[in-house]
């Protein structure tokens, strides 16, 4: 479906299984650092599954792999923002006012570039996709207006997530996980479509195998930003609901 506020906001909440995984992510945030990295890895694997025509959920499994993917993408963020951090530190140490402005501009540029590697890493799980800021920025430019549309949705979701503060700490943990999934889905939709990140676009050689799903029933394949594929009678369903669970409502 076309990227919109409605489809992005509803994506993490579209089924009982999806909502359950949001709650699991919120509980993991109670574990400092590791919980955040696991949530990042969860979003990577969720997108990876959809890009390869599999249901987005369940993705809370193989926690060592989730921690690995979350750590790799976090190190990419550190690399991209390091110039801004160093520039800001120099501005503070030597009290150079104009360096603060440069540090802010570098931070904004790094933040804008980060989504340029996320979707490609989700597709291939190849760390080489992460640590190339210039290539990531080129992809951002190629994303065009759709990329900035995704940013608009992301910022609106960020503002909305603070509603969780009304439910004290746990409410904000839940709304934070929801926000990051909305952001991940929005940017993944843009770059998956712009660069045709589909299984037949690259060789399967060296690509990690996806974990097998439990046996029983049928399930619906998922494609990011497009209509769901027809039911595959061979593959099993991972959730007991009779409704189709793993495509946009």
């Amino acid at each position: 479906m076309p990227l919109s506020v409605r489809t992005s906001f509803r994506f993490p909440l579209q089924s009982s299984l999806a909502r359950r995984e949001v709650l699991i992510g919120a509980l993991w945030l109670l574990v400092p650092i590791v919980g955040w990295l696991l949530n990042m890895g969860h979003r990577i694997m969720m997108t990876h599954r959809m890009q390869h025509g599999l249901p987005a959920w369940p993705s809370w499994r193989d926690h060592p792999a989730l921690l690995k993917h979350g750590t790799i993408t976090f190190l990419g963020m550190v690399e991209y923002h390091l110039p801004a951090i160093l520039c800001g530190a120099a501005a503070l140490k030597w009290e150079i006012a104009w360096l603060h402005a440069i540090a802010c501009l570098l931070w904004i540029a790094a933040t804008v570039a980060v989504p340029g590697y996320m979707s490609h890493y989700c597709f291939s799980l190849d760390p080489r996709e992460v640590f190339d800021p210039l290539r990531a920025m080129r992809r951002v430019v190629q994303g065009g207006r759709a990329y900035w549309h995704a940013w608009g949705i992301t910022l609106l979701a960020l503002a909305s997530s603070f509603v969780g503060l009304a439910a004290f700490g746990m409410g904000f943990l839940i709304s934070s996980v929801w926000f990051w999934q909305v952001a991940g889905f929005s940017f993944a939709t843009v770059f998956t479509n712009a660069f045709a990140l589909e299984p037949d676009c690259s060789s399967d050689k060296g690509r990690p195998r996806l974990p097998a799903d439990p046996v029983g029933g049928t399930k619906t394949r998922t494609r990011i930003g497009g209509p769901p594929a027809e039911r595959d009678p061979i593959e099993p369903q991972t959730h007991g609901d009779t409704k189709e669970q793993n495509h946009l409502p």
Side-chain angles (χ1 to χ4, degrees):
M1 294 182 179
L3 181 63
S4 68
V5 172
R6 180 177 180 272
T7 55
S8 294
F9 275 36
R10 292 185 63 185
F11 172 74
L13 308 174
Q14 63 180 271
S15 69
S16 58
L17 182 56
R19 294 188 290 271
R20 176 176 177 271
E21 299 226 339
V22 169
L23 291 176
I24 293 173
L27 290 173
W28 268 113
L29 287 180
L30 296 173
V31 182
I33 302 176
V34 172
W36 189 89
L37 293 174
L38 283 172
N39 269 278
M40 177 68 73
H42 175 263
R43 291 190 293 275
I44 296 297
M45 187 51 62
M46 188 173 62
T47 303
H48 177 79
R49 290 177 60 82
M50 289 191 291
Q51 288 172 324
H52 290 270
L54 294 172
W57 309 282
S59 290
W60 274 116
R61 50 189 179 184
D62 194 359
H63 289 68
L66 298 184
L67 184 60
K68 171 188 172 182
H69 299 316
T71 300
I72 289 172
T73 50
F74 171 70
L75 291 176
M77 294 178 186
V78 172
E79 178 195 354
Y80 285 39
H81 289 88
L82 188 58
I85 295 171
L86 295 176
C87 188
L92 289 173
K93 182 176 181 179
W94 290 296
E95 299 182 353
I96 304 176
W98 57 270
L99 275 181
H100 286 291
I102 293 179
C104 288
L105 292 175
L106 289 173
W107 187 273
I108 293 171
T111 303
V112 166
V114 163
Y117 71 72
M118 281 291 189
S119 298
H120 286 74
Y121 178 70
C122 290
F123 179 70
S124 67
L125 303 182
D126 184 350
R128 291 175 297 182
E129 294 288 355
V130 175
F131 302 104
D132 191 338
L134 293 179
R135 179 165 58 182
M137 188 59 79
R138 286 197 300 269
R139 289 170 178 163
V140 166
V141 173
Q142 289 176 276
R145 292 178 61 184
Y147 172 74
W148 298 108
H149 178 47
W151 261 114
I153 293 172
T154 297
L155 293 176
L156 182 59
L158 175 62
S160 301
S161 69
F162 286 99
V163 174
L165 291 173
F168 304 103
M170 194 59 196
F172 185 62
L173 294 179
I174 294 171
S175 62
S176 295
V177 174
W178 167 83
F179 155 67
W180 281 109
Q181 291 195 17
V182 169
F185 175 78
S186 299
F187 290 119
T189 298
V190 171
F191 288 107
T192 298
N193 290 338
F195 294 92
L197 298 180
E198 298 176 354
D200 59 354
C201 293
S202 70
S203 170
D204 288 333
K205 184 177 180 180
R207 184 179 304 153
R209 288 181 175 271
L210 288 168
D213 289 294
V215 177
T218 60
K219 68 184 178 186
T220 303
R221 293 181 178 272
T222 305
R223 293 174 181 170
I224 295 181
E230 296 182 356
R231 287 188 177 275
D232 185 342
I234 298 177
E235 294 190 2
Q237 185 172 345
T238 59
H239 192 263
D241 291 349
T242 57
K243 297 181 180 179
E244 293 180 349
Q245 298 292 330
N246 296 295
H247 59 80
L248 286 173

